[in-house]
Amino acid sequence: MTTTTTAVPTVRTRVAELAAAQITGWQEGYLDDRSTAVAALARLRRGAGRDAADLPDLWTLIDTSPLHTRVEGVRPLREEELVRAENAVHVALTLWALHQQSRGARMHRPHSPRRPAGLGAAARRLMPPGGIDEPVRKRLVRAGTAADLTTLSQRLRELVVLLRREDIPLDYGLLAGQLYAWQWPGGDGAVRREWGRSFHAWQEADANPPRENTDDDTSRPTDRDKDAS
């Protein structure tokens, strides 16, 4: 008899999936110019680079209830896990909202080996092929050496503004999981290494660029002034 076991998702995985699911829904609504999604994005982006505790207006918008829901076979999260998870989701969603503002393409894009979309890869795309842009590199390094999550979110905000200007997408589910891991002892170093590997992964992808799927509608016309406030 064959026994099938189902892998229990880690807290990091749950955080990443929750962030990606919420962003995907808002992103599609925003690109379809649905008023509720446009309004949600406007509220969310005001939180970019700010502590979640300072913005009670967003508590009813960012739904972290799945993290509190009891699931059969999955242990309830401890208080310290919940706090870190909720903080990570807040930072990821608010940064995405800033990134997506007035863009007609999806600024959240899932990472894949052939199309890297991690933070390091995105920063590398800001640089010229075969060259290093020192100001961009220093911003990435400064983000990785932030002393606390609020400082990290502020430094990531600076990078996101540059990515938005160049229409370079990012996997915000992946980033949310990294932000969760970053808050634990030793997590900052592990996440910095992930960003470094991502940076070099894009160099390899840039040397052998994959053929883009023209059937994937990643760019749609949109009113770029509809949420410019």
Side-chain angles (χ1 to χ4, degrees):
M1 182 177 70
T2 302
T3 302
T4 301
T5 58
T6 302
V8 176
T10 63
V11 180
R12 173 173 171 167
T13 297
R14 293 175 64 183
V15 168
E17 291 177 348
L18 175 61
Q22 292 199 38
I23 288 172
T24 297
W26 278 323
Q27 183 165 259
E28 296 310 305
Y30 178 78
L31 294 175
D32 285 339
D33 202 19
R34 297 176 205 151
S35 59
T36 53
V38 173
L41 184 137
R43 289 170 61 190
L44 283 167
R45 72 170 182 267
R46 288 195 287 269
R50 299 176 62 184
D51 191 288
D54 296 337
L55 296 156
D57 175 56
L58 300 185
W59 296 351
T60 57
L61 185 60
I62 299 177
D63 182 12
T64 58
S65 60
L67 298 172
H68 297 260
T69 303
R70 290 184 176 272
V71 179
E72 185 177 355
V74 179
R75 66 167 178 79
L77 299 188
R78 301 189 302 272
E79 180 65 22
E80 58 186 351
E81 292 173 320
L82 282 169
V83 170
R84 287 171 167 87
E86 290 170 345
N87 286 341
V89 172
H90 168 87
V91 173
L93 268 60
T94 55
L95 287 175
W96 162 78
L98 175 67
H99 198 165
Q100 188 65 58
Q101 179 192 4
S102 298
R103 300 296 94 182
R106 297 177 180 89
M107 293 296 100
H108 163 62
R109 191 191 78 198
H111 165 83
S112 72
R114 285 185 59 78
R115 299 181 71 195
L119 183 66
R124 182 64 184 85
R125 291 184 65 184
L126 289 167
M127 303 181 186
I132 296 295
D133 184 312
E134 274 301 309
V136 172
R137 187 193 68 81
K138 287 179 180 178
R139 286 180 188 274
L140 182 62
V141 171
R142 284 184 70 243
T145 56
D148 54 63
L149 187 64
T150 300
T151 303
L152 174 60
S153 67
Q154 292 167 349
R155 293 177 180 178
L156 289 177
R157 189 186 192 281
E158 297 173 359
L159 276 170
V160 164
V161 169
L162 298 179
L163 297 175
R164 177 180 172 274
R165 185 181 66 192
E166 300 299 328
D167 282 337
I168 296 173
L170 190 63
D171 185 335
Y172 278 93
L174 174 62
L175 181 63
Q178 291 171 334
L179 292 170
Y180 173 77
W182 187 91
Q183 297 173 75
W184 292 94
D188 54 346
V191 170
R192 281 197 300 270
R193 288 191 290 274
E194 290 184 25
W195 290 346
R197 288 195 298 271
S198 175
F199 182 92
H200 293 293
W202 177 258
Q203 286 185 300
E204 295 173 5
D206 196 30
N208 299 283
R211 183 174 175 228
E212 293 290 336
N213 181 2
T214 56
D215 293 331
D216 180 17
D217 177 20
T218 56
S219 181
R220 306 181 192 181
T222 189
D223 180 359
R224 288 178 179 259
D225 295 325
K226 67 185 176 186
D227 62 345
S229 61

